[in-house]
Amino acid sequence: MRTYIGYLSCFLLLLCGCSSRPTSVSSPDGHIALTFALDEAGNMSYAVTVNGADFILPSPMGFEGRDGVNLAEGFRVENTEFASKDEAWTQPWGENKNLRNHYNEMAVHLKNAAETRLVARFRVFDDGLGFRYEYEVPDADSLFIMNELTGFRIANDGTSWSIPASFETYELLYRTQPISRIDNANTPMTFKTEDGVYASIHEAALTDFPEMTLKHTEGCSFVAELAPWPDGVKARFEGGKFTTPWRTIQIAPQAVGLINSALILNLNEPCALEGDLSWIRPMKYVGIWWGMHLGVETWAMDDRHGATTANAKRHIDFAAANNIEAVMFEGWNEGWESWGGMQTFDYTKPYADFDMDEVVRYANEKGVQIIGHHETGGNILNYERQLDASYKWYADYGVHSVKTGYAGGLPNGHNHHGQYNVRHYRRVVQTAAKYQTTIDAHEPIKDTGIRRTYPNMMTREGARGMEWNGWSEGNPPEHHVLLPFTRLLGGPMDYTPGTFDILYDRTRNSPRRKKWNDLDQGNSRVNTTLAKQIANWVVLYSPLQMASDLIENYEGHPAFQFFRDFDADCDWSEALQGEPGEFIAVVRRAKDKYFLGATTNAEARNLTIPLSFLEEGKTYQAVIYADGEDADWETNPTSYEIVKREVTSADTLDVKMAKGGGQAVTFLPL
Ligand code: NOJ
Ligand code: CA
């Protein structure tokens, strides 16, 4: 584990005289430099160099206001403050519990003819940069943002990995394309320039603003495009002040450097929750879930209802017997008949065949936690009416973890990613915290690191997860080696890996199976090998990590030992090797165990991994879950082998992965 000795925080304050000459700030190691400038009309711009070479060409800054409020032009610099910080901080859970926040800051204080005051605050780290706008408009009762002008003029073309911009969903397939060919993209938008710099544009601390997407303008240039309110306004504020989320660019010499960066967390506010936080705990879980997606069970109460008391107990038994902390039940509450219609779910009324008292009693007896579920269908008005009561209701039962969902359109013309719904998501996290409850949000707003401020905001979906394999053409083999370099740069994802019945042999021809999703062509399957499913438990980080298959597919399966041994509460992680869309290898340490996950796209691949991350002088038993000799995601996905070896930190592991395959290793100290 990397620790930083002591706590070092030093602030230097240098006040510069009024000037519109360009001012610059560099990363602590000096290799990234950011320059701020004003033109003669008082328009702002910033530019970035990496190792002395142009990386972001002078790019516009500011916003378009309304009602004569000028947020972009006629600025002059009043003064510029420089500061530095180097501090160690810890979080209750995360890929890494011990982190370092090390940056140089430049805060440019500006004012324009209309007396609009602005602090343009830039922070430059060794692994990238962030900047935000802090506006103050005197005598304004309210402010309306009509557009963001922030540009990202990338100096060189290169290869990019992103999903299209959409203000409704992130459940889209990734595209690999030249930077100059991107029409629009959601963030994190990751790219590698022709001169070999890896970078990703995103945002941090999105709690009261619409999400930012990127719209192509010309060449390799983009402008921020914000999700609108129904009346076209992008953001609105009471009073005359607002501070934006950080606009961020992670920068690294290697692709894995983006994953090993804590820049997004460092740009979030420290923990806002007070007191003992031991109620916030990473957990492994199983649930009544996959049966519905496969079409053999239903959410609504009928003769194929999944969430019955008996089935709940069966899952609790399974969790208790397999070292799994929690179970999640979907379809337990009234209202699923209205899913896709009025979306009138009731969050305190269990279905008649789900005896909540008995399920809770039984779970307590077995020492298993319950993860609750609130599907809203997008009807957030209905949800907000019940919000406090529903979290209290669960908490009174001892349920302190809830999965939420927004599968459906929002009311009154709102979209999923606008400021209105960003505020809703934050309200849910804050209400949950009041009842010591953690959140796993599906159809969420994108992750921008707010888990630092609200560590009960544990995990979320926000990309195509496992469910897509149940009823569509599924997620292609490159999807899982794109997610770590894109979506997961924002934070953890509840992908819910772990399908062992890859071809759905148990359910495909079951008389209970009924098509329920229009995308279902009857040929869905999981597009990986079995070993890759196991490796994804390590690679696709989530503090709530689900073994998502039907539990009967795990019963008696030798490879399920990996999940039994696995610990979702890791202390330290490192992405060791990888290229976006091609392959990845990640190691995590939890207490004295290490877990390694390596995965590949549709190409077979061998990796050589030095085990130097293991504690020196100790011997470990490595339990290797590998693709079988004849494994191939298309033709022979379930061929696997388990090999045991004694290893030390001086050894090297040869990781052989089949097409669409992977490998997972548990290192147990002897
Ligand atoms: C979509 C979620 O991603 C999935 O996990 C859930 O089962 C359904 N909505 C129903 O809530
Ligand atoms: Ca979803």
Side-chain angles (χ1 to χ4, degrees):
M1 181 177 42
R2 317 283 185 268
T3 50
Y4 297 94
I5 303 154
Y7 180 104
L8 175 71
S9 173
C10 89
F11 269 87
L12 298 170
L13 201 69
L14 289 176
L15 293 183
C16 302
C18 303
S19 138
S20 51
R21 270 177 293 134
T23 48
S24 298
V25 59
S26 298
S27 55
D29 69 2
H31 93 286
I32 303 173
L34 181 146
T35 302
F36 171 84
L38 283 178
D39 68 11
E40 279 170 9
N43 296 314
M44 304 172 281
S45 68
Y46 76 100
V48 181
T49 60
V50 175
N51 295 322
D54 286 342
F55 176 66
I56 300 286
L57 300 174
S59 300
M61 295 179 67
F63 291 85
E64 266 174 45
R66 206 182 78 177
D67 310 328
V69 173
N70 189 339
L71 302 170
E73 296 155 347
F75 279 106
R76 57 177 198 279
V77 176
E78 300 245 289
N79 66 293
T80 305
E81 292 174 353
F82 292 90
S84 297
K85 193 165 211 178
D86 189 359
E87 63 173 356
W89 63 280
T90 58
Q91 49 183 355
W93 58 267
E95 301 91 321
N96 290 292
K97 286 185 181 156
N98 300 299
L99 295 158
R100 183 185 187 187
N101 185 20
H102 188 197
Y103 62 80
N104 291 330
E105 176 175 293
M106 174 170 75
V108 187
H109 293 250
L110 301 130
K111 200 166 149 185
N112 68 11
E115 297 292 301
T116 298
R117 290 184 169 278
L118 166 64
V119 180
R121 194 177 296 281
F122 301 91
R123 288 187 184 160
V124 187
F125 303 73
D126 291 343
D127 53 355
L129 60 99
F131 59 91
R132 72 175 184 196
Y133 304 85
E134 302 163 13
Y135 279 99
E136 214 178 315
V137 181
D139 306 324
D141 299 335
S142 51
L143 287 173
F144 299 90
I145 311 302
M146 303 310 292
N147 260 320
E148 178 161 353
L149 304 173
T150 308
F152 300 89
R153 296 182 56 223
I154 302 166
N156 289 299
D157 207 346
T159 306
S160 72
W161 302 275
S162 69
I163 52 168
S166 158
F167 299 135
E168 295 293 356
T169 184
Y170 308 110
E171 297 187 24
L172 301 166
L173 288 174
Y174 283 89
R175 308 154 308 171
T176 300
Q177 58 188 158
I179 299 170
S180 53
R181 295 289 296 276
I182 305 170
D183 245 8
N184 55 57
N186 222 315
T187 70
M189 193 274 269
T190 301
F191 57 96
K192 179 190 183 186
T193 60
E194 277 155 2
D195 48 356
V197 178
Y198 287 87
S200 188
I201 298 174
H202 190 41
E203 55 183 313
L206 171 60
T207 60
D208 189 7
F209 214 68
E211 82 165 353
M212 178 188 78
T213 65
L214 300 172
K215 193 169 86 182
H216 186 243
T217 52
E218 53 170 354
C220 297
S221 299
F222 300 87
V223 65
E225 179 79 1
L226 303 174
W229 287 70
D231 62 1
V233 170
K234 301 291 171 51
R236 48 190 3 119
F237 298 95
E238 296 291 315
K241 280 187 183 177
F242 71 94
T243 295
T244 66
W246 295 87
R247 275 59 189 106
T248 62
I249 312 179
Q250 286 173 278
I251 300 170
Q254 284 153 349
V256 288
L258 301 176
I259 299 173
N260 294 326
S261 152
L263 181 124
I264 300 294
L265 285 173
N266 279 328
L267 286 169
N268 273 268
E269 298 302 316
C271 184
L273 307 184
E274 287 169 1
D276 175 17
L277 298 183
S278 57
W279 52 274
I280 305 179
R281 276 195 309 272
M283 296 190 289
K284 297 183 284 185
Y285 73 103
V286 289
I288 297 182
W289 180 75
W290 193 224
M292 278 86 96
H293 286 276
L294 290 176
V296 292
E297 288 176 332
T298 52
W299 283 277
M301 192 174 77
D302 65 11
D303 57 343
R304 295 182 303 133
H305 191 204
T308 63
T309 309
N311 202 19
K313 287 185 170 182
R314 191 170 70 91
H315 282 74
I316 292 167
D317 285 339
F318 180 83
N322 287 283
N323 191 31
I324 294 168
E325 290 94 342
V327 288
M328 195 272 301
F329 306 119
E330 287 196 8
W332 65 276
N333 62 324
E334 288 193 4
W336 285 89
E337 314 67 39
S338 71
W339 192 25
M342 296 299 286
Q343 322 271 28
T344 44
F345 294 87
D346 190 317
Y347 304 106
T348 54
K349 266 210 189 114
Y351 276 125
D353 60 354
F354 187 84
D355 182 341
M356 185 68 179
D357 291 333
E358 177 57 12
V359 171
V360 168
R361 187 201 64 75
Y362 196 72
N364 284 341
E365 185 184 304
K366 299 280 173 167
V368 170
Q369 304 290 315
I370 292 174
I371 300 178
H373 185 235
H374 289 163
E375 176 56 64
T376 67
N379 189 346
I380 64 172
L381 298 176
N382 178 51
Y383 191 32
E384 292 202 351
R385 266 194 300 274
Q386 302 179 59
L387 201 60
D388 208 81
S390 60
Y391 280 89
K392 181 175 186 310
W393 188 84
Y394 261 147
D396 286 347
Y397 271 114
V399 175
H400 288 285
S401 185
V402 173
K403 171 179 172 179
T404 59
Y406 297 84
L410 260 62
N412 306 325
H414 287 287
N415 55 50
H416 276 78
H417 304 163
Q419 184 185 23
Y420 175 80
N421 214 24
V422 168
R423 286 176 174 165
H424 165 78
Y425 289 119
R426 188 188 56 183
R427 193 170 305 137
V428 171
V429 173
Q430 289 170 334
T431 306
K434 202 168 121 190
Y435 295 102
Q436 302 204 326
T437 299
T438 61
I439 294 292
D440 167 6
H442 277 232
E443 298 78 41
I445 188 65
K446 63 177 140 187
D447 201 337
T448 58
I450 69 159
R451 60 179 159 141
R452 178 175 181 188
T453 314
Y454 304 105
N456 66 314
M457 178 59 246
M458 292 194 88
T459 190
R460 65 185 89 199
E461 192 190 34
R464 278 169 68 123
M466 179 63 81
E467 61 175 342
W468 281 79
N469 296 319
W471 35 256
S472 78
E473 82 281 14
N475 300 328
E478 70 268 21
H479 187 65
H480 319 95
V481 283
L482 280 161
L483 288 173
F485 297 98
T486 52
R487 158 69 185 81
L488 276 96
L489 296 181
M493 176 177 178
D494 190 35
Y495 181 90
T496 70
T499 305
F500 277 19
D501 184 8
I502 298 226
L503 300 176
Y504 311 152
D505 289 335
R506 187 185 294 274
T507 51
R508 188 177 299 283
N509 299 315
S510 158
R512 284 170 67 86
R513 191 177 121 76
K514 287 204 182 112
K515 174 173 169 169
W516 67 278
N517 191 304
D518 290 344
L519 297 175
D520 184 354
Q521 302 294 313
N523 56 357
S524 299
R525 54 160 293 181
V526 172
N527 301 320
T528 74
T529 66
L530 178 81
K532 183 171 174 180
Q533 285 298 308
I534 300 170
N536 275 340
W537 278 322
V538 183
V539 171
L540 303 177
Y541 174 69
S542 180
L544 298 174
Q545 192 58 287
M546 186 182 198
S548 61
D549 206 345
L550 304 176
I551 54 176
E552 46 272 42
N553 291 330
Y554 297 135
E555 300 273 11
H557 199 303
F560 196 65
Q561 187 59 37
F562 182 88
F563 199 71
R564 254 177 239 127
D565 292 334
F566 186 65
D567 189 339
D569 187 10
C570 67
D571 300 303
W572 167 84
S573 304
E574 192 170 317
L576 301 169
Q577 301 178 15
E579 286 297 330
E582 294 179 23
F583 69 99
I584 184 162
V586 179
V587 63
R588 305 195 193 281
R589 182 177 63 76
K591 298 167 197 88
D592 59 353
K593 290 184 201 170
Y594 289 80
F595 302 96
L596 181 110
T599 57
T600 179
N601 59 4
E603 271 178 47
R605 215 178 285 270
N606 297 337
L607 303 180
T608 304
I609 300 183
L611 301 182
S612 50
F613 53 80
L614 294 173
E615 204 179 309
E616 223 181 293
K618 268 197 182 166
T619 303
Y620 293 81
Q621 182 182 59
V623 187
I624 302 167
Y625 300 78
D627 288 321
E629 277 298 322
D630 51 354
D632 179 313
W633 77 273
E634 264 183 306
T635 55
N636 196 11
T638 51
S639 164
Y640 75 98
E641 57 186 33
I642 302 175
V643 181
K644 293 185 181 168
R645 260 178 69 186
E646 280 190 17
V647 297
T648 70
S649 63
D651 288 316
T652 296
L653 193 71
D654 290 319
V655 175
K656 193 165 171 263
M657 300 184 283
K659 291 178 180 171
Q663 188 170 122
V665 186
T666 312
F667 298 92
L668 306 165
L670 289 173

